[in-house]
Amino acid sequence: MSRPGESFAIPHEGDGTVDSVWKRAVKKPVASIFVHAGAGYHSTVNEKVHLKTCHDASRIAMAFLKAGATAPQAVEAAIRCLEDRDITNAGFGSNLNIEGIVECDATLVDHLGRSGACGAVHGVKNPISLAKKILDTSSQPLTLRRVPPNVLVGQGAKDFAEEHGLVTVRNESLVSRNAKDRWLRWSEDLKRAEARRRPPTKHNAEGWPLPRTPSPTVYDEAADPANNPHHRDHTSAVLMGTWNEGQPDSPGRDGSPPGGNGSRAAMAAPASPRSVLTGNSGEALDPPKTPELPGLHLLSAAFQTRGRTAPLAESVECAGLKQQSPHLAQKRKQPPSPSVNDGPTGCDDDEMDMVDDFDYYETYGFDVSHDQGKAAAAAGPNQANAATDAVSDTVGAIAIDLHGNIAAGSSSGGIGMKHRGRIGPAALVGVGTAVVPEDPDDDLATSVAAVTSGTGEHMATCFASGKCADRLYQGTRRGPGGRDISEEDEHTIMESFILDDFMNHPGIRDQPSAGAIGVMAVKKDRSGVYFYFAHNTDSFALASMSSAEREPLCVMSRLGKTGRVAQGGRKVRLS
């Protein structure tokens, strides 16, 4: 304190001491990207391929964010990368409908809660780009005071894409070899199921058999677990390669269910090479090759770092891998259970700036890297040598740009052998994708985004993504009598959402199809960005990255045998 009458000098602008204080006080904006490649069953043999896909999508989106792109643009870039990989059920390589056609769904929601969506659209190379275009045009006025659409489906959606210069292709350009093989196998299963269910042939007065039109519900009845005396749980379905968004597995080739007298090997065998997939014109299609993707070379520059390609993100739980990767979460929390924690590993604290590692809560199960042979033997007689994935669910991404705005998006090819025109959760706002926008009077500036993956029809029943986002925003969970009660622990909220809001929903708990779900959510306020995920499926592939990181954090979360819900999360600090 200065004495009376004594003056002191105020440092002029540019003084080193003042500059250092201001530099410490000013916070540099931090952007973030969060990606998932679907909930389901990821083969341990192909695990690193799934994580590489998440890794690349995160890198591309972060390159956009660092260049000043908006959150919706970053979400579009991340999901475009996922759509262009045939290992995901989105865009190229999606499941085929009952007519052998790729029909996709996608949604994009911005920080204000405005959305653009497309459903059951065919011939569009990147459905998420169509959803983005619909979002962009939804705020542009039309003549005669018409209201611009924010969701388009079917042929109308494809026409809109062509009118706005988006890439459209023939159906065979979107069909991967694996998708074609699945369709051929399931088509043969459908024929056999219909033959077994066909009633005795009726004859007319002249003795000729009357024509019969197959019911569209025949296959659903044949695949319904209620019509099967043997129990078909989620794990057995996904291990047979027929799990997709809750669709029951196909019947055995000899009419017996898996696990019975039927042969699993026969059921998993590819269809006869004489079978062919036909296009809209009826001509036979050769096995499609991976198409050259226009414009992808422009995005591929985002992978390059100082003239080299970004390293592959691998998991320590991949079969045969003995070394840990520095790009995966390593910190584990031991659950209050004698079961072995199956949480993957990751980055050291000294390798990342301003970022917390993944934390895991209640992630129980077996350690594949510790005793893979025993776990594979428990899965089935032929699973020990299997490398079959059964991930047929929605992919999604959430981004926060340098302005602090949040956006979320989803994309999916839907369930295999679906009816033409079926709309899945990826096209439904509040079901597959949701954003709770920031309130202008909120001092904390809180906003939440959530994306889901799983049994689409069940998620639509409970408005899954909207419910999860609202739970995190309000800080509540379902209590006794169905009334909301306050809850401060977000991990408890996530677990309660799956067990109470989803699995215990009156319209879900007694249904014959399994209630499978994986949810990824991000809560943002002035204190930081909080990332949460939870799932009741066998596995969930995720990645996250902030602009303060050099590489994405990737994780393959696995449920194991003893747990009901696996979950985890991390915090991205803003200072």
Side-chain angles (χ1 to χ4, degrees):
M1 181 180 295
S2 60
R3 298 185 181 91
E6 181 179 353
S7 63
F8 61 94
I10 300 178
H12 61 81
E13 184 177 358
D15 183 88
T17 304
V18 175
D19 285 348
S20 63
V21 171
W22 278 106
K23 287 180 180 178
R24 289 197 302 269
V26 175
K27 296 181 180 180
K28 183 179 180 181
V30 176
S32 304
I33 181 68
F34 308 90
V35 172
H36 80 78
Y41 172 78
H42 302 75
S43 165
T44 54
V45 176
N46 293 334
E47 180 176 305
K48 63 180 181 180
V49 181
H50 292 282
L51 294 181
K52 175 66 161 58
T53 300
C54 294
H55 177 275
D56 292 349
S58 299
R59 293 269 313 202
I60 286 179
M62 185 50 62
F64 274 72
L65 290 170
K66 288 182 177 180
T70 64
Q73 290 173 332
V75 169
E76 179 192 8
I79 295 182
R80 276 178 61 105
C81 178
L82 297 174
E83 290 175 341
D84 291 340
R85 304 297 177 89
D86 63 348
I87 200 168
T88 63
N89 181 33
F92 173 66
S94 293
N95 284 327
L96 308 182
N97 67 13
I98 198 167
E99 298 179 10
I101 300 173
V102 174
E103 290 187 331
C104 294
D105 308 321
T107 297
L108 204 155
V109 185
D110 69 7
H111 67 288
L112 298 177
R114 299 175 301 187
S115 62
C118 58
V121 60
H122 63 280
V124 175
K125 179 177 173 291
N126 291 110
I128 190 63
S129 296
L130 175 54
K132 173 69 162 49
K133 180 60 68 174
I134 295 173
L135 169 62
D136 293 340
T137 58
S138 65
S139 58
Q140 299 174 2
L142 298 177
T143 58
L144 299 179
R145 298 178 129 184
R146 291 175 297 151
V147 178
N150 64 356
V151 57
L152 292 171
V153 299
Q155 186 62 42
K158 183 178 181 181
D159 293 343
F160 184 91
E162 293 175 341
E163 292 169 5
H164 289 80
L166 298 183
V167 178
T168 57
V169 296
R170 296 179 61 188
N171 180 65
E172 54 266 31
S173 297
L174 296 174
V175 180
S176 68
R177 183 178 296 273
N178 287 336
K180 175 181 175 181
D181 290 343
R182 288 195 303 268
W183 185 85
L184 292 172
R185 186 172 69 248
W186 290 340
S187 295
E188 294 297 322
D189 293 341
L190 176 58
K191 291 178 182 178
R192 281 188 293 273
E194 288 181 336
R196 287 195 301 270
R197 297 281 178 175
R198 185 172 298 147
T201 304
K202 297 181 180 180
H203 296 78
N204 58 18
E206 289 78 17
W208 294 96
L210 295 174
R212 175 180 176 272
T213 302
S215 169
T217 63
V218 169
Y219 182 63
D220 294 336
E221 294 173 356
D224 191 343
N227 299 326
N228 194 328
H230 297 267
H231 176 66
R232 297 185 177 194
D233 59 7
H234 174 224
T235 303
S236 64
V238 299
L239 291 179
M240 292 308 300
T242 56
W243 174 262
N244 45 68
E245 291 187 346
Q247 179 182 6
D249 51 322
S250 301
R253 295 195 179 276
D254 59 352
S256 60
N261 297 328
S263 169
R264 286 178 180 260
M267 182 175 177
S272 169
R274 296 184 180 179
S275 301
V276 294
L277 182 65
T278 58
N280 294 334
S281 59
E283 73 276 10
L285 304 180
D286 293 328
K289 298 180 180 179
T290 303
E292 291 294 331
L293 305 177
L296 185 59
H297 65 281
L298 299 178
L299 294 179
S300 64
F303 290 121
Q304 304 301 322
T305 304
R306 297 179 182 177
R308 61 180 179 83
T309 303
L312 170 66
E314 299 178 342
S315 168
V316 296
E317 296 186 358
C318 288
L321 294 182
K322 301 300 182 182
Q323 297 180 349
Q324 297 185 1
S325 168
H327 308 309
L328 302 178
Q330 289 180 347
K331 181 165 41 174
R332 298 187 181 188
K333 284 197 174 184
Q334 294 298 332
S337 167
S339 301
V340 178
N341 189 312
D342 195 39
T345 60
C347 293
D348 296 328
D349 291 335
D350 57 3
E351 188 173 336
M352 297 297 172
D353 298 325
M354 303 190 300
V355 180
D356 292 336
D357 290 343
F358 280 101
D359 291 326
Y360 292 89
Y361 300 83
E362 307 294 332
T363 308
Y364 307 148
F366 55 88
D367 189 342
V368 179
S369 61
H370 175 70
D371 196 356
Q372 181 186 358
K374 185 179 297 184
N382 296 324
Q383 189 60 25
N385 298 322
T388 302
D389 294 310
V391 184
S392 302
D393 293 341
T394 307
V395 302
I398 299 173
I400 300 174
D401 59 31
L402 293 175
H403 300 286
N405 295 327
I406 196 169
S410 299
S411 181
S412 177
I415 61 177
M417 304 299 288
K418 64 185 178 182
H419 289 280
R420 186 161 191 180
R422 181 256 189 185
I423 300 294
L428 303 175
V429 178
V431 177
T433 311
V435 171
V436 179
E438 171 186 326
D439 189 287
D441 296 328
D442 182 10
D443 294 335
L444 292 178
T446 303
S447 60
V448 179
V451 291
T452 57
S453 175
T455 312
E457 280 67 21
H458 292 345
M459 293 193 299
T461 299
C462 68
F463 301 98
S465 62
K467 174 63 73 173
C468 180
D470 188 66
R471 290 293 190 198
L472 289 172
Y473 184 85
Q474 300 291 344
T476 62
R477 64 178 175 87
R478 183 183 176 91
R483 295 176 176 83
D484 294 349
I485 60 176
S486 178
E487 178 59 63
E488 296 181 356
D489 184 1
E490 283 84 359
H491 293 280
T492 301
I493 294 175
M494 294 291 288
E495 181 180 36
S496 175
F497 162 72
I498 290 184
L499 295 179
D500 300 326
D501 293 318
F502 181 71
M503 298 181 68
N504 199 38
H505 190 283
I508 298 174
R509 61 181 174 226
D510 295 325
Q511 293 300 305
S513 56
I517 190 172
V519 58
M520 181 179 78
V522 175
K523 181 178 182 179
K524 179 192 73 71
D525 58 28
R526 297 194 188 281
S527 65
V529 175
Y530 303 87
F531 172 52
Y532 308 99
F533 65 86
H535 60 101
N536 66 357
T537 58
D538 287 279
S539 53
F540 200 17
L542 309 105
S544 66
M545 184 180 185
S546 81
S547 55
E549 292 183 349
R550 293 188 293 272
E551 295 293 340
L553 285 172
C554 303
V555 61
M556 181 67 74
S557 176
R558 295 193 180 274
L559 181 66
K561 294 181 178 180
T562 59
R564 294 186 298 171
V565 176
Q567 59 174 307
R570 61 179 297 201
K571 175 186 177 182
V572 178
R573 295 191 296 271
L574 301 183
S575 61

